[in-house]
Amino acid sequence: MALRLTVLGSGTIVPSQVRRATTLFVEGGSEDILIDCGPGSLQALEDAGRSYRDIHRILITHFHPDHTLGLGRLFSAVKNDTAVTERHWIVIYGPLGLEKFISGWNELYGNVVPDDDILNLVAMEPGYEIDIGDMMITAGPADHGGRPALAYRIDMAGRSIVYTGDTSRSDGLDRFASGADLLVSECSFPDESPAEGHMTPATVGEMASAAGAGEVLLVHMYPFFGETDPAAEVRRRFRGKVTTGRDGLVIEV
């Protein structure tokens, strides 16, 4: 079975009629993986014909609200959905500080976080590997303005997907993405309006070229781009296929 990626959201924290906050869904092997859990992600799963009840492993890139607000709904759903059995389980992986971040949901909403017999938390640093059935997931370096953040690589049967999360370009990230069949990269702002801890089309193209990626998928685009397609600028520096992400897009790797 090939790796199959569904873009549940391709945007940011800024509301949009066409883009939910960036969240990815990866199918392959014996288990499915949710990468980040932004606002609207659970409904996007339903729209894709899937259910949050099928998700047992979640990778969190960092703790900003556009990547994590869906966790509160997930926790509440688990506690209130009569279709959830006592054997239900969830593992959330994320950067250092994950335990403190998750416990904060109880401070906001009372006893909303599932008990330890349901929820397991795994805080990671770059280089940490997770063996899940046929998949090998590796945490990688991300530079998001000094905040705890991770990139992720998923390898299965000789195919690979790398997701940068929110980050600026670095030599370490270039190496981490080396040879990726699909490089899913944040592309937050136009080249003329860069921001710390984020990438522009030019830096995405340079990273993809340096990494020798097979294909690039752009996500996490702010409305600053307007009607301009950032893929055109990426192609000036990268000769492979470049796709501008949209909600609901499915790519098989």
Side-chain angles (χ1 to χ4, degrees):
M1 177 181 177
L3 287 168
R4 187 170 188 261
L5 180 141
T6 301
V7 180
L8 299 179
S10 57
T12 65
I13 196 61
V14 178
S16 166
Q17 292 182 337
V18 295
R19 297 187 188 279
R20 293 184 172 101
T22 294
T23 302
L24 307 174
F25 177 56
V26 178
E27 302 168 86
S30 58
E31 293 192 39
D32 302 330
I33 307 293
L34 190 68
I35 307 181
D36 284 335
C37 191
S41 57
L42 299 192
Q43 187 59 52
L45 267 175
E46 296 288 333
D47 293 345
R50 302 303 295 267
S51 170
Y52 81 95
R53 302 185 201 98
D54 301 324
I55 302 299
H56 298 288
R57 298 187 190 268
I58 303 172
L59 309 177
I60 297 297
T61 59
H62 64 291
F63 305 134
H64 280 168
D66 50 331
H67 298 261
T68 59
L69 279 178
L71 290 175
R73 187 176 186 186
L74 171 68
F75 296 155
S76 297
V78 167
K79 289 207 166 190
N80 291 280
D81 187 350
T82 56
V84 173
T85 70
E86 295 179 355
R87 296 185 299 276
H88 191 80
W89 58 275
I90 304 168
V91 183
I92 299 178
Y93 307 86
L96 299 181
L98 178 66
E99 296 90 345
K100 181 179 180 181
F101 174 75
I102 295 299
S103 67
W105 286 97
N106 280 338
E107 297 177 18
L108 285 171
Y109 296 110
N111 188 27
V112 69
V113 178
D115 296 332
D116 292 344
D117 57 342
I118 293 177
L119 179 64
N120 185 31
L121 304 177
V122 181
M124 305 184 296
E125 295 183 275
Y128 193 106
E129 294 182 339
I130 312 160
D131 190 352
I132 302 175
D134 299 327
M135 293 183 190
M136 176 62 74
I137 299 174
T138 308
D143 181 5
H144 193 33
R147 305 170 185 88
L150 294 171
Y152 289 106
R153 182 180 186 117
I154 301 176
D155 289 281
M156 190 187 80
R159 308 299 289 173
S160 57
I161 297 173
V162 171
Y163 174 44
T164 66
D166 285 12
T167 183
S168 57
R169 185 189 172 200
S170 69
D171 291 341
L173 185 59
D174 287 0
R175 290 190 295 270
F176 183 70
S178 179
D181 294 291
L182 177 62
L183 175 58
V184 185
S185 178
E186 77 119 90
C187 188
S188 296
F189 300 103
D191 291 320
E192 62 271 19
S193 303
E196 181 185 11
H198 290 288
M199 284 193 277
T200 69
T203 54
V204 173
E206 292 163 358
M207 173 186 62
S209 182
E215 178 179 351
V216 170
L217 172 64
L218 304 177
V219 295
H220 201 267
M221 290 156 288
Y222 275 89
F224 294 99
F225 284 104
E227 298 300 318
T228 302
D229 185 355
E233 191 60 35
V234 175
R235 293 188 190 103
R236 293 178 181 270
R237 294 164 175 82
F238 174 67
R239 294 184 178 181
K241 181 179 179 181
V242 183
T243 302
T244 300
R246 65 179 187 280
D247 294 12
L249 176 67
V250 177
I251 295 180
E252 297 215 359
V253 180

